[in-house]
Amino acid sequence: ADKVRIAHGLLSGGAYLHRNGIIHRDIKGDNIMLSEDFSVVLIDFSLAKLVNAAMFEGSSEPQNRFGDISGATHTVSQGTPTYRAPEVIRQEPYGLTSDCWSVGVVLLELLTGHTLKVEKDGQALRLIEEVKTKLPDQPFANLVRGLLEVDPLKRLGARAALNSNVF
């Protein structure tokens, strides 16, 4: 129940940020505070970025991507390798679901009870893929798989993840 409460809090926080045109870009265990009842507070917005809200018109979940369209680019050397989404590592334009990848890594750590510590992006992706394939077919594990979808267009967004049968 505590893991579910933490997952719901992280995804609710992400959905709130994304709905308001903010991408956090550094979601990881070190940037999450928990209260005694396991309520979640995201902290450290030093890498956060406002995205062009005009690009959200008509979209139920904003999927703005950085790059030439918004005039904003991301320096991939920032952030923590273990939690960077594959598209960020590949230096491709990325969107709000890159935060959802990071939430997926945090939830994977929560599910397995182990922190994934690596120094290089390639190592992180291989380790995440290895651990992900060993997950059981259970609702919480399936939620984590959806957040850790390598293809950002297939990856669960925060609001979509909140509709998981886990909650």
Side-chain angles (χ1 to χ4, degrees):
D2 294 336
K3 291 176 186 178
V4 171
R5 185 182 314 243
I6 292 168
H8 191 272
L10 281 172
L11 291 166
S12 295
Y16 178 83
L17 290 174
H18 296 170
R19 190 171 49 250
N20 287 285
I22 300 168
I23 186 169
H24 188 283
R25 303 196 309 174
D26 198 23
I27 295 174
K28 59 185 178 180
D30 290 347
N31 291 338
I32 300 166
M33 292 179 53
L34 297 175
S35 67
E36 287 182 17
D37 69 349
F38 293 100
S39 295
V40 173
V41 176
L42 281 172
I43 61 171
D44 189 357
F45 286 78
S46 61
L47 296 180
K49 192 147 191 94
L50 288 172
V51 292
N52 186 350
M55 300 181 77
F56 300 160
E57 291 178 25
S59 175
S60 61
E61 179 152 355
Q63 293 299 317
N64 182 40
R65 293 177 173 272
F66 289 104
D68 295 335
I69 294 172
S70 67
T73 57
H74 174 59
T75 305
V76 291
S77 62
Q78 293 179 336
T80 306
T82 307
Y83 303 90
R84 276 190 276 229
E87 61 274 20
V88 175
I89 293 168
R90 292 187 302 259
Q91 300 183 29
E92 297 173 351
Y94 62 92
L96 298 170
T97 60
S98 63
D99 276 351
C100 297
W101 173 275
S102 302
V103 169
V105 175
V106 170
L107 296 182
L108 182 66
E109 292 176 329
L110 190 63
L111 184 63
T112 62
H114 301 287
T115 303
L116 304 175
K117 293 278 187 184
V118 294
E119 296 298 321
K120 300 197 183 277
D121 291 320
Q123 290 174 329
L125 291 178
R126 283 189 297 279
L127 180 58
I128 289 166
E129 201 58 39
E130 179 184 314
V131 174
K132 188 172 74 168
T133 59
K134 294 177 183 175
L135 294 177
D137 184 17
Q138 296 173 340
F140 196 90
N142 293 335
L143 170 65
V144 171
R145 271 192 209 87
L147 293 166
L148 293 176
E149 173 60 51
V150 173
D151 183 344
L153 299 176
K154 294 179 182 175
R155 187 177 307 139
L156 287 175
R159 285 200 302 191
L162 285 168
N163 291 325
S164 164
N165 58 4
V166 170
F167 309 114

